Amino acid sequence: MTTSDGRDRTPSERVDVCVVGSGPAGALVARELADAGYEVVVLEAGPRFDREERLERMERTIRPAWDSGDVWGMGGERDAYRSTGPRHYPLNQARVKGVGGSTLHWQGMVMRLHEEDFRRRSVDGVGVDWPISYDDLRPFYADAEAAMGVAGASDNPFAPPREEPFPLPAFEPSYSDALFAEACERLGVATHTVPNARNSEPNDDRSACVGYGTCKPVCPSGAKYSADYTADAAEAAGARIVDRVPVQRLVTSSDGSRVEAAVYATPDGSEYRQAARQFVVAAGGVETPRLLLLSADTDRGHPDGLANSSGWVGRGFMDHLFVGAGGRLDRRTRQNHVGFLTSESHAFYDEPGRATEGTDGSIPPSDADLGPIKLEFLNYAGPSPVELAMDAREFGDDLLDGLRDAYGTHIAMGGLVGQLPRKENRVTLDRSRTDDHGNPVPDVQWGLDDRTERTIERALDIQKRVLRELGATVETTVGHDTTGPAFHQMGATRMAADPSEGVVNGRLRTHDVSNLSLVGSSVFATSGAMNPTLTIAALALKCASHLDEDL
């Protein structure tokens, strides 16, 4: 059947691999397996976005009548959700359904998890250990950096070991980063570059960064990596990508041991079944567990959701908490000249309670039980001149004088704090509300524990001390009641060696269903405090390697 947009969305004959989702995880799996000669079909819930429209989308972001949801068409019945936990979780604020997934509007920071992140129970006595180690993932991290074209430098004294250089040279620190570096040096806080998945020089037929400064929610130049480029490579290698076909459920064999087909809906409401030898779900941190829950089948041995004999599907949901402090200096900071982070500090990551060794006013240690803290130095702190001008009541010279007074002296720090997996933080189904196909919507039930709250307090204290050392007047803070998620949805189909303690094993294969693999941040056993996309990509490449062995 060919629809009004000219695309054929009827199923292929039984293929080797069916992938659900075309974000970084799904696109990388599809590319790897198509390159290896396998027949691959990718089913994507959202549309293909025309790259020629990205400049127009960027222009929308600076106009007050639009918001980030409008830019990528999120919202409405298709994307309905609930959040009934202790804290509201604004799910649609930072996700995109479409070819490329949420990398279409991500920030582009790509760090490796630290070695201790994989053995949190062994090191700290909290959380759980992953069934894999950093060394298991190390070669896939390198391949993921190459696939994304990561720009970076080996100047981070706290980073885990690596042998190979970054594919592209690092971006130079921004002017405001140089200001921070002076204050941090006096406090004994080491600073270093940020690995970025954006071109510091022309690469992969895409330009170097040209500084639009609208990286999130859209990069018009294509300098920042997004998974639609990998999807293009998968198609060039022979994979078939079908857009606007949300998968409704997975259907298993009569004994429930294997998935036989993915049932998907087309824009006109028709349903089809895509058969395959192997299935990979890469639908994101919330939609992956939701699909498993929607695939419950009592008659075939999955009464509580597919691959859910452990009861962990949907449970253990985690995110990173954003913590921030900002203020003003009595000098120009060149704010907003760079739209992404160029410097950070992992000084308090593996030992968040440690003291620094500055010459004056050193940051004292904390004896509290804390999680990892990642500090960020924000180049884009404070309001933009466009925002100020649009909100101003003055005109002409009065407006110009007001802009000169209000703009250009802001400076800020940010940071990520991780949280541990808890059963009560979960993704479940809300059967009181349905989406545009009549399926129960996801309900994200999310809250913070005491350890996370203490870590937020520690991160905020460190940030204030750095700002004061810099000579800034601290005017705003984000923490405790004002903090929110970083939109790094993790853990709701977690990895575990013991089938009773998780959903997938170290090969990313579900414990209960022999031909079903899950990739993405939903398989994270613990959260760390690093942006998760590079680890998502590395796990996807690891999964593809195992599937290549098994097919």
Side-chain angles (χ1 to χ4, degrees), residues 65-272:
W66 296 86
D67 62 32
S68 58
D70 295 321
V71 171
W72 295 106
M74 288 298 298
E77 193 178 19
R78 183 195 71 172
D79 307 316
Y81 72 95
R82 292 287 302 279
S83 180
T84 62
R87 286 178 177 251
H88 177 69
Y89 194 93
L91 180 61
N92 283 343
Q93 190 169 320
R95 63 174 178 166
V96 177
K97 291 182 180 178
V99 177
S102 292
T103 56
L104 293 169
H105 77 159
W106 67 317
Q107 199 172 41
M109 299 166 67
V110 279
M111 308 86 175
R112 300 183 182 193
L113 286 175
H114 285 200
E115 292 169 286
E116 293 187 355
D117 284 324
F118 294 91
R119 46 194 184 97
R120 192 52 56 198
R121 167 62 66 175
S122 297
V123 172
D124 290 338
V126 297
V128 294
D129 288 346
W130 294 48
I132 61 174
S133 68
Y134 172 78
D135 284 340
D136 292 327
L137 209 52
R138 184 169 170 174
F140 300 106
Y141 270 134
D143 291 343
E145 289 166 345
M148 291 182 166
V150 175
S154 298
D155 63 340
N156 181 353
F158 311 103
R162 60 180 300 131
E163 296 175 351
E164 58 291 312
F166 284 94
L168 299 176
F171 287 90
E172 291 295 322
S174 69
Y175 177 75
S176 62
D177 281 354
L179 298 178
F180 273 117
E182 297 171 5
C184 287
E185 183 176 1
R186 291 194 297 271
L187 291 174
V189 178
T191 62
H192 45 81
T193 56
V194 178
N196 277 282
R198 50 175 53 80
N199 290 345
S200 57
E201 59 187 30
N203 176 58
D204 195 27
D205 297 324
R206 296 181 288 120
S207 76
C209 176
V210 295
Y212 278 106
T214 60
C215 313
K216 187 175 181 178
V218 59
C219 170
S221 71
K224 184 181 67 176
Y225 169 83
S226 55
D228 56 317
Y229 295 106
T230 302
D232 286 351
E235 287 187 299
R240 180 189 178 204
I241 297 179
V242 189
D243 72 333
R244 300 174 66 198
V245 288
V247 174
Q248 308 296 293
R249 61 194 176 277
L250 301 175
V251 178
T252 65
S253 56
S254 58
D255 64 357
S257 64
R258 297 178 59 82
V259 176
E260 290 187 340
V263 178
Y264 64 89
T266 57
D268 68 356
S270 301
E271 283 194 356
Y272 294 94

Side-chain angles (χ1 to χ4, degrees), residues 291-371:
L291 179 57
L292 298 183
L293 294 173
L294 289 173
S295 302
D297 190 331
T298 300
D299 294 337
R300 302 189 182 197
H302 302 285
D304 300 315
L306 190 61
N308 195 25
S309 64
S310 66
W312 276 98
V313 169
R315 294 190 181 273
F317 180 80
M318 300 172 287
D319 206 313
H320 294 138
L321 283 303
F322 177 80
V323 183
R328 300 178 72 170
L329 291 175
D330 59 359
R331 49 182 162 157
R332 295 292 171 184
T333 60
R334 302 183 192 174
Q335 67 192 62
N336 291 305
H337 281 217
V338 179
F340 54 92
L341 300 181
T342 54
S343 294
E344 63 181 355
S345 177
H346 297 174
F348 298 92
Y349 193 90
D350 290 325
E351 299 179 77
R354 78 175 187 86
T356 58
E357 299 177 355
T359 58
D360 182 58
S362 296
I363 297 172
S366 171
D367 58 4
D369 175 31
L370 303 170

Side-chain angles (χ1 to χ4, degrees), residues 409-432:
T409 58
H410 289 82
I411 201 160
M413 289 182 66
L416 294 185
V417 165
Q419 60 178 165
L420 296 171
R422 297 190 298 154
K423 277 195 169 185
E424 55 266 44
N425 282 346
R426 62 185 299 198
V427 176
T428 187
L429 301 179
D430 184 339
R431 299 187 183 278
S432 69

